Amino acid sequence: CKTVLTNGYLSKDKFRIIVESMHLPDNGTTENALNLSKDLLKKRKVETLDVAALNKEEEGYKAENDPRVFLSTKTGRGKLVKGWETSAKPVMCCYKLVTADFKYWGLQGKIEGTIESKNRLLFQRSLAHAFCLIDEWHGLTMADIRRLEEQSKAELNSALNKEGADESKTPEKAEGASSANAAATAEPATQASAASGAGESGAGAGDAGAGAGAAGSGSAQNS
């Protein structure tokens, strides 16, 4: 699965975030899950994100979305403890390659660093949350998943279109004022599915992974 994020107010040649994902039935041991070239491997920064290592002190933390607290009634999985990734069966790792470009002089390093830290938090939390929703998705067929994807895409696009229509009706909008309007498109690639696991993470040109599932935002076309 490949998602490309751009901003309508910035040049696509100077600002974009590309997130590529691959889900494999291992615990983060695949060295080059996304088949990077030798040049990209040299630039890659690898991080491991553990869905069972959420920071309770961070703003937005919710115990119900913490795999250390959650216990699945359907599968008996949950209440993950330290070292779970080496003993849990089954296990799945979500590998993510994040490429972030912000080619504006004076701000590039700071903005790309912010993108990296925000993606790290997003991946860890969203995948931990997906694991804690296991009773809702466990047992679904691929047909069920595709149907839910189409439903979510339609609801998201409807909400974005409504928001755009509401903004166009506001006459007092100050000249020159702007709102962040990110667009996302998902391009066909390999596969996307939900499960549980640990993995590797990074930004710039790096691998990212953790937990259970994948999430995107914007006006997305999933495949």
Side-chain angles (χ1 to χ4, degrees):
C1 179
K2 181 178 180 180
T3 300
V4 180
L5 298 167
T6 59
N7 187 296
Y9 296 102
L10 301 174
S11 168
K12 292 182 179 179
D13 294 328
K14 291 188 175 183
F15 172 71
R16 64 177 182 172
I17 303 171
I18 302 173
V19 182
E20 299 172 67
S21 303
M22 172 67 78
H23 299 73
L24 296 176
D26 63 33
N27 59 1
T29 55
T30 301
E31 176 62 26
N32 189 9
L34 289 147
N35 298 316
L36 302 186
S37 67
K38 290 183 179 180
D39 288 340
L40 283 179
L41 285 173
K42 291 178 182 178
K43 299 177 183 178
R44 181 182 66 171
K45 174 184 175 183
V46 177
E47 292 186 33
T48 299
L49 301 181
D50 184 351
V51 294
L54 298 178
N55 186 348
K56 295 181 179 180
E57 304 302 319
E58 282 184 334
E59 184 179 357
Y61 169 85
K62 296 181 180 180
E64 61 266 30
N65 296 333
D66 190 336
R68 293 169 296 189
V69 177
F70 169 78
L71 179 63
S72 168
T73 56
K74 277 188 177 181
T75 67
R77 302 172 195 169
K79 293 200 174 181
L80 302 182
V81 298
K82 188 174 182 179
W84 64 271
E85 67 276 8
T86 61
S87 58
K89 301 292 182 181
V91 65
M92 178 176 283
C93 178
C94 174
Y95 294 89
K96 289 185 178 292
L97 173 68
V98 180
T99 304
D101 291 323
F102 190 86
K103 299 176 182 178
Y104 288 89
W105 188 85
L107 294 172
Q108 183 171 1
K110 183 176 181 179
I111 298 300
E112 288 181 356
T114 300
I115 291 170
E116 178 179 352
S117 63
K118 294 299 183 182
N119 272 327
R120 184 186 300 115
L121 181 61
L122 172 65
F123 294 150
Q124 188 179 34
R125 282 188 176 177
S126 62
L127 298 175
H129 189 197
F131 176 81
C132 294
L133 292 174
I134 190 171
D135 287 341
E136 296 187 21
W137 55 258
H138 185 267
L140 293 180
T141 65
M142 284 306 299
D144 293 330
I145 293 171
R146 295 304 185 197
R147 176 177 51 79
L148 292 173
E149 286 178 345
E150 289 300 318
Q151 180 181 330
S152 297
K153 183 177 73 174
E155 291 175 353
L156 176 59
N157 288 334
S158 176
L160 290 173
N161 290 335
K162 182 178 185 301
E163 181 179 335
D166 290 343
E167 287 183 358
S168 66
K169 293 178 182 178
T170 306
E172 294 89 3
K173 196 167 184 178
E175 183 176 354
S178 64
S179 59
N181 183 16
T185 61
E187 302 174 4
T190 47
Q191 62 180 1
S193 60
S196 65
E200 307 171 346
S201 140
D207 278 350
S217 63
S219 178
Q221 299 175 353
N222 296 316
S223 59

